[in-house]
Amino acid sequence: MGKSRSARRVREEAEPVVEAVDGGLAELIPDRDRARAWTLLIDGAPQSHVDLDDPAHLSFEYQRRLGHVVDLVAPPGRPVHAVHLGGGAFTLARYVAATRPRSTQQVVEFDAALVQLVRRELPLESNARVRVRSADAREGLAKVPDGWADLIVADVFSGARTPAHLTSTEFLDDVRRALRPGGLYAANLADGPPLTHLRGQIATAAARFAELALIADPAVLRGRRFGNAVLVAADQPLPLAELTRRTASDPHPGRVEHGRPLTDFAGGAVPVTDAAAVASPAPPPSVFR
């Protein structure tokens, strides 16, 4: 039997896996176009896509943009120390392991039942140096040694909303503590018109980091629809030219804002503190239809 025919049979025989986890109802839906690839949904909201045969394949738009940050955090192929706040199906951790062998990674995922489901159905490669901790993201971050991480990725959603305690200057203080000098912080944010949350997160990051960039679809930046944006922050100049080139060449091209245009976009928003923090807005039902 030819390889393509065999792969097609695997896809046709694969069945969805549906299981209650701590955060709701998890569904693993087989990708009919790629053998051994799956999409994870929680309560109907897409969370992750994983291709077990090709972990360097990033299907979701926001994950590709986070992948660009992974690619630029150090010279190609160099191992890094990475912390992933929010695990999902460990898509970005798999990507780092595939593109930067011998990297050492920590994944912090609050939903212990989800971790068990993913480990069972979508196991990590045996040689992947990935430690998974079931804990609150902020509590897990507090256990990362000072200056340990080359990269910290925040991709935490509860009920499709980023928890309030992961949106504040105090949270970013601990991110900075755990980052090595020159390390990168990247956060997956979600917002829609009037973009109050997104503007506040830019102001919050600007209060703690010297260099910022925002990657998003132009329609999201114009407040025309709800969507994801990736915020990148560091204390040293960012690789803006290459980040812009890669983002523009995506299947769905995005825009990179930085400098004065990004400051203007924030529009006078003030940094968010623990005392004033609120969760990100819930997406409208139409987003997942």
Side-chain angles (χ1 to χ4, degrees):
M1 181 182 294
K3 182 178 180 181
S4 60
R5 186 176 175 186
S6 176
R8 185 167 60 250
R9 190 180 74 176
V10 169
R11 291 194 294 269
E12 291 171 351
E13 292 177 352
E15 296 292 336
V17 177
V18 181
E19 195 167 302
V21 295
D22 299 336
L25 186 68
E27 299 173 83
L28 288 173
I29 308 299
D31 186 333
R32 298 305 180 187
D33 295 322
R34 301 177 72 92
R36 301 186 71 227
W38 301 78
T39 298
L40 168 67
L41 294 84
I42 303 292
D43 287 340
Q47 300 289 324
S48 305
H49 180 278
V50 169
D51 188 333
L52 296 178
D53 289 333
D54 183 10
H57 173 75
L58 299 176
S59 178
F60 288 3
E61 181 180 282
Y62 86 87
Q63 289 181 332
R64 283 196 301 274
R65 291 169 181 168
L66 289 171
H68 298 330
V69 178
V70 171
D71 293 342
L72 298 173
V73 71
R78 177 183 293 178
V80 297
H81 288 177
V83 177
H84 305 268
L85 304 178
F90 314 151
T91 304
L92 261 293
R94 299 173 199 268
Y95 182 83
V96 173
T99 60
R100 297 182 176 278
R102 302 182 307 284
S103 290
T104 303
Q105 303 185 74
Q106 299 184 37
V107 174
V108 183
E109 169 58 57
F110 183 74
D111 195 326
L114 177 61
V115 170
Q116 292 179 355
L117 171 65
V118 172
R119 282 190 177 279
R120 185 185 75 234
E121 300 294 334
L122 308 174
L124 290 161
E125 292 287 343
S126 59
N127 60 349
R129 300 169 62 178
V130 180
R131 177 185 180 186
V132 182
R133 177 184 292 121
S134 296
D136 171 79
R138 198 152 155 182
E139 293 176 1
L141 177 62
K143 296 181 180 179
V144 176
D146 292 2
W148 183 84
D150 298 290
L151 172 68
I152 296 177
V153 176
D155 185 14
V156 184
F157 287 87
S158 176
R161 304 177 71 186
T162 301
H165 68 299
L166 304 180
T167 67
S168 67
T169 52
E170 290 90 342
F171 165 65
L172 291 185
D173 285 337
D174 211 26
V175 169
R176 285 199 54 173
R177 176 199 60 77
L179 278 175
R180 67 162 178 81
L184 296 183
Y185 169 66
N188 178 32
L189 309 174
D191 199 8
L195 300 176
T196 303
H197 173 71
L198 186 56
R199 298 182 204 278
Q201 288 304 285
I202 294 167
T204 304
R208 292 297 183 267
F209 289 95
E211 303 288 338
L212 300 180
L214 186 72
I215 313 169
D217 186 291
V220 173
L221 293 174
R222 295 188 188 109
R224 293 180 179 174
R225 68 173 179 86
F226 192 99
N228 294 84
V230 171
L231 180 65
V232 187
D235 281 331
Q236 297 182 15
L238 296 167
L240 293 171
E242 186 62 16
L243 193 61
T244 299
R245 187 190 69 79
R246 290 172 182 243
T247 301
S249 64
D250 279 340
H252 298 283
R255 196 166 81 202
V256 177
E257 293 285 13
H258 58 90
R260 173 57 63 180
L262 186 57
T263 301
D264 292 343
F265 175 81
V270 298
V272 176
T273 64
D274 276 345
V278 296
S280 66
S286 60
V287 168
F288 304 126
R289 286 177 186 166

